[in-house]
Amino acid sequence: MDLDHTAEEDVFRAEARAWLAAHVPAAPLPSLETEEGFAAHKEWEARLHSDRWSVVSWPKEYGGRGADIFKWLIFEEEYYAAGAPGRVSQNGINLLAPTLFDHATDEQRARVLPSMASGEVVWAQAWSEPEAGSDLASLRSTAVRTEGGWLLSGQKTWSSRASFADRAFGIFRTEQGTAKPHQGLTYLMFDLSAHGVTVRPIGRLDGKPAFAELFLDRVFVPDADVIGEPGAGWKVAMSTAGNERGLTLRSPGRFLAAAGRLTDLWRARADPGDTALRDRVADAVIGARAYRLFTYGNASRFAAGASIGAESSLNKVFWSDYDIALHETALDLLGADAELAQSEWAEGYVFSLAGPIYAGTNEIQRDIIAERLLGLPKGRR
């Protein structure tokens, strides 16, 4: 792993930094978990796209810059250091798009990716069901064959962004009575405004509808919106999950910037004699830098042709636990009323609490680490 940037990478960083300095809104946008904020963030996605900064690592034909993974990491560092808005399109860009690059047809990529890059179409993830969360293979929602496509029926829950999003992606049972539960599943895309879809928002701790339940009653989906082969959806879904837990969902730039803000907060607000709190701030900085090195190591492996595999579970457990600890430290610095205030730290803390649950619970990820990486016996399942 070479941590020295090339001259070309330095030029890229300077270009990104200059663009962000000129375009990042002077005042924070409203929370993207509100209708007003969602619309404002879609406008920001369009602004990013207009100068090809919304998906820097994608091929140019889909709206990207064709940048490699190291330039993507550089852009992420600059993006968060500039205090730029959160990405309302992250479900599509970070989860569905890598899946499309790996498994979709050329027609699907040409049809779906440009509107995702521009923010015109925002995607929700529709995987979890009332009795199928971390045990995704136990899902009950079905897709039944009909002329020219499929009819979706069932219920999805905890669907991120679904309260205001345009489309969703998920897996559905298309074969009954298979030998194993992860067989006979199919990966589909569907329109959230289609006939038969009911979207019921779910309020977060702060009341904002960050999630939604989806009720599907014979929703027609054309064959053109099946990703991969019918019945082989589990393989496609694991591709999505690997990206979610691994490299793309939480870039180190996000945590480096947050650790920097925490350090500034300590300097401005803390009692110098509170060495316990000081040590927690130092741990946050160390954690962010360690995560950056780990990520660059994974990026080097990708660049050499390797895949991340079960190691993505290490990533997921680390960043989700780290995110909570970082925000708890900030709230302790701010004082007793911090959790009630309408602040970036308070909203970040509420969001961080979901980290150990979504993208596969940390309990399941620890099972994967124990069994697949360490070779330990199977435990709780």
Side-chain angles (χ1 to χ4, degrees):
M1 180 174 68
D2 185 358
L3 293 175
D4 292 328
H5 292 307
T6 65
E8 182 182 341
E9 289 167 344
D10 288 339
V11 169
F12 178 84
R13 182 185 292 277
E15 185 183 0
R17 184 177 295 178
W19 190 91
L20 290 163
H23 294 89
V24 169
L29 300 182
S31 169
L32 60 82
E33 310 297 0
T34 64
E35 187 170 6
E36 176 193 14
F38 197 88
H41 280 77
K42 285 189 72 169
E43 291 180 10
W44 169 245
E45 295 287 344
R47 186 71 193 91
L48 282 169
H49 176 258
S50 67
D51 287 324
R52 292 182 177 269
W53 290 110
S54 65
V55 286
V56 296
S57 61
W58 289 13
K60 293 180 180 178
E61 64 189 288
Y62 302 127
R65 289 175 170 247
D68 63 22
I69 195 168
F70 298 104
K71 286 181 179 174
W72 173 75
L73 287 166
I74 289 170
F75 176 73
E76 290 283 297
E77 290 177 8
E78 293 300 323
Y79 189 88
Y80 285 102
R87 301 294 302 275
V88 74
S89 292
Q90 67 174 7
N91 280 334
I93 291 171
N94 294 336
L95 304 181
L96 180 58
T99 306
L100 291 170
F101 283 123
D102 288 343
H103 300 280
T105 64
D106 290 343
E107 183 280 328
Q108 288 174 324
R109 285 190 282 268
R111 174 164 51 91
V112 174
L113 292 173
S115 61
M116 184 190 296
S118 68
E120 179 184 354
V121 175
V122 175
W123 290 79
Q125 186 183 37
W127 280 22
S128 296
E129 298 185 3
E131 296 183 22
S134 293
D135 185 14
L136 184 61
S138 63
L139 63 84
R140 297 180 179 180
S141 292
T142 60
V144 177
R145 205 75 176 89
T146 190
E147 184 177 353
W150 303 81
L151 294 174
L152 310 186
S153 296
Q155 180 184 354
K156 300 287 184 179
T157 192
W158 303 118
S159 296
S160 305
R161 304 284 120 76
S163 297
F164 309 113
D166 304 289
R167 304 200 74 200
F169 55 93
I171 53 176
F172 294 82
R173 188 160 300 286
T174 49
E175 298 175 33
Q176 302 293 337
T178 55
K180 296 181 179 180
H182 60 269
Q183 297 174 338
L185 303 172
T186 300
Y187 200 119
L188 298 114
M189 303 178 285
F190 58 98
D191 198 326
L192 288 172
S193 63
H195 179 72
V197 177
T198 300
V199 179
R200 183 182 296 171
I202 299 175
R204 213 169 47 183
L205 279 175
D206 58 6
K208 297 184 177 73
F211 309 96
E213 291 177 291
L214 305 177
F215 298 90
L216 308 170
D217 182 11
R218 295 174 61 81
V219 178
F220 177 75
V221 174
D223 286 324
D225 280 348
V226 174
I227 302 175
E229 293 297 321
W234 186 256
K235 177 183 176 183
V236 184
M238 290 305 97
S239 173
T240 306
N243 283 295
E244 184 176 31
R245 297 166 189 162
L247 195 61
T248 57
L249 185 61
R250 293 286 174 264
S251 70
R254 179 177 187 268
F255 297 123
L256 287 169
R261 293 198 305 276
L262 182 65
T263 305
D264 292 340
L265 188 63
W266 159 263
R267 289 177 176 139
R269 302 280 296 256
D271 172 6
D274 189 345
T275 55
L277 199 50
R278 181 202 61 187
D279 289 349
R280 290 168 60 190
V281 174
D283 285 344
V285 174
I286 292 168
R289 294 183 182 183
Y291 183 58
R292 179 176 185 265
L293 292 175
F294 182 75
T295 306
Y296 269 85
N298 278 335
S300 297
R301 291 170 53 202
F302 274 125
S307 58
I308 191 168
E311 285 86 352
S312 63
S313 295
L314 291 171
N315 229 35
K316 198 274 172 172
V317 170
F318 180 85
W319 61 247
S320 56
D321 286 346
Y322 172 84
D323 204 16
I324 293 175
L326 184 148
H327 282 87
E328 285 179 339
T329 303
L331 294 182
D332 287 343
L333 269 167
L334 290 167
D337 296 334
E339 292 183 40
L340 303 177
Q342 296 294 318
S343 71
E344 179 184 34
W345 288 114
E347 177 148 346
Y349 174 64
V350 171
F351 183 78
S352 74
L353 293 176
I357 301 172
Y358 66 77
T361 65
N362 281 10
E363 287 80 4
I364 295 296
Q365 302 315 308
R366 287 189 169 92
D367 281 348
I368 293 172
I369 293 166
E371 295 166 15
R372 300 184 194 175
L373 296 182
L374 304 179
L376 299 177
K378 290 189 176 181
R380 74 193 84 203
R381 286 174 291 175

